[in-house]
Amino acid sequence: MKTALIQFTAGEDPAANLETVRQMVRDAARSGAAFVLTPEVSNILSSSRRHQQAVLYHEADDPFLAAMREDAAALGLWLLIGSLALKTGDSDGRFANRSFLISPEGEIMAHYDKIHMFDVEIDETETYRESAAYRPGTQAVVADTQFGKIGLTICYDMRFPHLFRKLAKAGATIITAPAAFSPVTGKAHWQSLLRARAIENGVFILAPAQCGQNGPTRATHGHSLVVSPWGEVLADGGDAPGITMVDLDLADVGRSRRRVPSLDHDREFEGP
Ligand SMILES: O=C(O)CNC(=O)[C@H](CS)NC(=O)CCC(=O)C(=O)O
């Protein structure tokens, strides 16, 4: 299955981000991709909640989502919008960080709200408080497609192996992990986390990532990653914007799981 991961640098203007993504989706389609994935918060990366409040939409009238549905249908491909920041109507004004899987008919086949919030102080200069702006999801999601079952996660979720375990146990053979990873933790952890999640569950991991300088106070790690169920890095998108194409052999899932069937070897135990 020809799969394309879109890597770019989202800024504060959703319309500009949409133009960038649309062009790259078209390029990916021209290269023969059947499944195209975009990073976390493809529509906006902003550190100002006020600005987000001013320019974001609810799901029902979001122009980014509408355009992606049109493009998926026009180009006849599966599309994962890694996520969109969307208004929720919640009284506390928090947004959703929501991933969408769209069919080649332009239908929304699944959506997933990021469960784990990145509330972290990495060092004196770098702190994140995602839960101040975003309302965490409470529902894990697996979608049925012609390529098999796809489990949806977002970014920081990759540090919670039990979520990936649940998705794999529910039949997922591909797990998506779109990201806007921090450069510091990216260097230290990104590839190890994703390879571990692939190996321990015998799944393909598809992780389209934001890259570069997103704003005066925000940068992202890049290195969009495709990992095989055996843990091999099949592609790494590097530091710069671009499209990473890979041809997935879905039979690798069965081959890996037969060699090491650890997914079937979970045991109940007492303690500690
Ligand atoms: O801020 C937004 O608008 C959208 N959300 C994000 O970019 C989120 C929260 S700041 N980024 C991550 O989860 C990175 C996780 C990470 O870097 C790690 O786990 O080390």
Side-chain angles (χ1 to χ4, degrees):
M1 173 183 50
K2 275 203 173 177
T3 301
L5 275 60
I6 287 177
Q7 174 166 308
F8 77 111
T9 312
E12 290 222 305
D13 177 3
N17 297 330
L18 175 58
E19 261 331 291
T20 303
V21 169
R22 278 197 117 158
Q23 192 53 56
M24 294 177 94
V25 170
R26 260 180 236 124
D27 290 347
R30 213 169 292 127
S31 307
F35 186 22
V36 179
L37 300 89
T38 79
E40 181 182 21
V41 287
S42 285
N43 61 334
I44 189 163
L45 218 154
S46 166
S47 40
S48 162
R49 209 171 149 183
R50 243 184 51 229
H51 174 71
Q52 286 177 304
Q53 206 53 257
V55 301
L56 293 182
Y57 293 86
H58 288 87
E59 175 178 329
D61 40 41
D62 184 63
F64 199 112
L65 179 59
M68 290 291 99
R69 292 181 63 181
E70 275 171 30
D71 288 358
L75 301 167
L77 42 80
W78 285 87
L79 195 56
L80 179 94
I81 308 175
S83 79
L84 298 175
L86 294 168
K87 287 185 176 168
T88 60
D90 273 15
S91 54
D92 62 10
R94 287 195 297 176
F95 308 107
N97 190 345
R98 185 171 297 159
S99 201
F100 292 92
L101 183 67
I102 300 171
S103 74
E105 288 75 41
E107 295 304 320
I108 296 171
M109 304 306 284
H111 60 86
Y112 163 72
D113 284 4
K114 184 179 186 179
I115 292 173
H116 302 95
M117 295 285 108
F118 193 45
D119 292 342
V120 172
E121 286 171 38
I122 297 171
D123 55 34
E124 314 75 52
T125 60
E126 241 188 300
T127 63
Y128 299 86
R129 196 139 304 276
E130 187 174 27
S131 66
Y134 294 93
R135 177 192 75 178
T138 56
Q139 177 72 49
V141 175
V142 169
D144 234 326
T145 75
Q146 68 197 79
F147 314 120
K149 293 199 165 111
I150 301 184
L152 306 188
T153 75
I154 301 177
C155 200
Y156 189 52
D157 283 332
M158 74 183 63
R159 294 180 184 273
F160 302 85
H162 48 287
L163 171 60
F164 286 69
R165 193 56 155 198
K166 266 207 154 161
L167 297 173
K169 289 276 192 197
T173 51
I174 297 172
I175 296 181
T176 53
F181 228 64
S182 111
V184 171
T185 58
K187 272 188 209 81
H189 303 154
W190 168 255
Q191 206 180 94
S192 300
L193 288 169
L194 292 171
R195 291 187 65 197
R197 297 298 83 81
I199 293 166
E200 67 203 4
N201 297 301
V203 293
F204 282 100
I205 298 278
L206 306 178
Q210 295 237 15
C211 67
Q213 196 68 42
N214 301 81
T217 61
R218 186 78 194 266
T220 43
H221 176 64
H223 294 279
S224 293
L225 212 66
V226 180
V227 189
S228 78
W230 194 245
E232 302 145 298
V233 172
L234 300 180
D236 179 328
D239 296 324
I243 300 171
T244 298
M245 290 278 298
V246 280
D247 203 352
L248 304 183
D249 181 355
L250 298 173
D252 280 346
V253 171
R255 280 194 281 268
S256 298
R257 289 177 178 182
R258 278 192 294 277
R259 288 170 83 184
V260 180
S262 60
L263 186 61
D264 293 327
H265 288 168
D266 280 322
R267 290 174 57 80
E268 296 298 324
F269 47 81
E270 307 285 320

